[in-house]
Amino acid sequence: MGKGKKSKLKGAIAKPSAKASKPKGLSRPSSTKPVKARPPPSPTIPFSPEDRILLVGEGDFSFARSLLAIHGCTSVLATTFDSSAIAREKYPQVASHIAALQAEKDCKVLYDVDATKLGKHSNGGGGKHVRDGGFDKISFNFPHVGGLTKDINRQVRHNQELLVGFFKAAMPLLVLSGKITVTIFEGEPYELWNIRDLARHVGLKVERSFKFQSSAYPGYRHARTLGNIEGGGGWKGEDRPARTYLFEASDGSQAQTSNKKRKRDDSDSEID
């Protein structure tokens, strides 16, 4: 009985299926057409030649110069947190960029401008040039407080405070339909900043976000907060994945309301 079952099973395994045998060297031609590679998407440029633009936290002013020379943005107020002496010490290339900007009638360069004090009647506010407002775009590329601490959690908190302070200071300076742009690197620790939530808490919302492509700004080079790497170095921020967020007021009347409040709250003394 057991032998009969075994022989039947052996016979079933031993006989190959006729469908399984194929002549060697022959194969059915593939009907799948080769897939053409899609061209990379065109870069998104959130600025137009008609815009009045305030740039905050510029490093060597190469971004501002590219806006002027390549994209035809001729009304640019470019500001930096550094003093003139420190900017030139950190970025030797800055002189030529500044000269190109200052040669344009409606372009101006300001030093010692604090992103969290924009337009205020105090040191760091940028004086009358910033306080007059009326900007279509206010842009802060790669905000960072620098090496205040090596503790990641504290770094995150310091940078969140910087962004919140910037948002609050920038909003009253926009025209009613104005936008704020912020560009930051992708990945950690930048994702920990939760930039969307920070903006929402101060009355802003993300209209859209898109990949930042440095190649769209010929001549632009990412300037480190701490200055150029000695000897040129191999670190190039413009090659690192980054994203730009375009913010607008959650309430369309927010900018005008905030501007009126600022006029009531500010003192009468002016520092230009």
Side-chain angles (χ1 to χ4, degrees), residues 39-267:
S42 300
T44 300
I45 310 295
F47 308 98
S48 67
E50 298 78 21
D51 285 340
R52 185 161 183 259
I53 302 168
L54 170 61
L55 299 180
V56 178
E58 281 289 276
D60 66 357
F61 294 94
S62 61
F63 184 81
R65 185 176 183 178
S66 183
L67 283 184
L68 169 63
I70 306 300
H71 298 289
C73 299
T74 57
S75 181
V76 178
L77 178 57
T79 72
T80 179
F81 181 74
D82 296 325
S83 66
S84 175
I86 291 177
R88 293 171 190 273
E89 179 183 349
K90 288 166 63 174
Y91 316 109
Q93 70 274 23
V94 76
S96 63
H97 300 321
I98 291 174
L101 289 166
Q102 291 180 332
E104 182 65 35
K105 177 184 176 183
D106 293 325
C107 288
K108 191 171 183 63
V109 171
L110 294 180
Y111 305 95
D112 300 303
V113 176
D114 187 331
T116 65
K117 297 180 180 179
L118 297 174
K120 291 187 177 180
H121 294 270
S122 61
N123 289 326
K128 190 175 186 302
H129 296 290
V130 175
R131 191 163 55 251
D132 284 347
F135 296 102
D136 300 289
K137 301 285 169 51
I138 300 179
S139 179
F140 199 169
N141 286 333
F142 304 102
H144 202 283
V145 295
L148 294 181
T149 174
K150 293 183 179 180
D151 184 274
I152 295 297
N153 292 328
R154 290 184 180 181
Q155 276 277 15
V156 168
R157 187 163 61 252
H158 287 315
N159 282 294
Q160 287 178 324
E161 291 170 354
L162 170 62
L163 282 170
V164 169
F166 162 66
F167 286 144
K168 288 180 176 179
M171 288 171 66
L173 303 176
L174 293 168
V175 297
L176 192 58
S177 59
K179 304 287 192 298
I180 294 174
T181 75
V182 178
T183 300
I184 60 175
F185 289 122
E186 294 184 337
E188 292 189 359
Y190 305 95
E191 290 179 352
L192 301 177
W193 296 3
N194 294 322
I195 189 170
R196 292 174 180 269
D197 289 339
L198 297 178
R200 187 174 68 250
H201 287 311
V202 298
L204 293 169
K205 63 180 180 181
V206 178
E207 183 204 53
R208 57 183 167 136
S209 70
F210 46 88
K211 182 179 179 181
F212 175 80
Q213 295 178 252
S214 60
S215 59
Y217 304 94
Y220 163 71
R221 296 291 181 271
H222 181 85
R224 297 169 68 247
T225 304
L226 301 178
N228 289 355
I229 297 177
E230 188 174 350
W235 190 89
K236 293 184 178 181
E238 58 268 21
D239 295 336
R240 187 173 177 178
R243 193 159 197 84
T244 297
Y245 296 85
L246 191 62
F247 298 97
E248 62 182 5
S250 299
D251 176 2
S253 62
Q254 182 110 27
Q256 289 184 335
T257 302
S258 299
N259 204 14
K260 291 176 181 178
K261 184 177 185 298
R262 167 168 284 176
K263 289 179 180 179
R264 292 196 302 267
D265 292 346
D266 280 345
S267 63

Side-chain angles (χ1 to χ4, degrees), residues 11 27 30 118:
S27 61
S30 174
L118 297 174

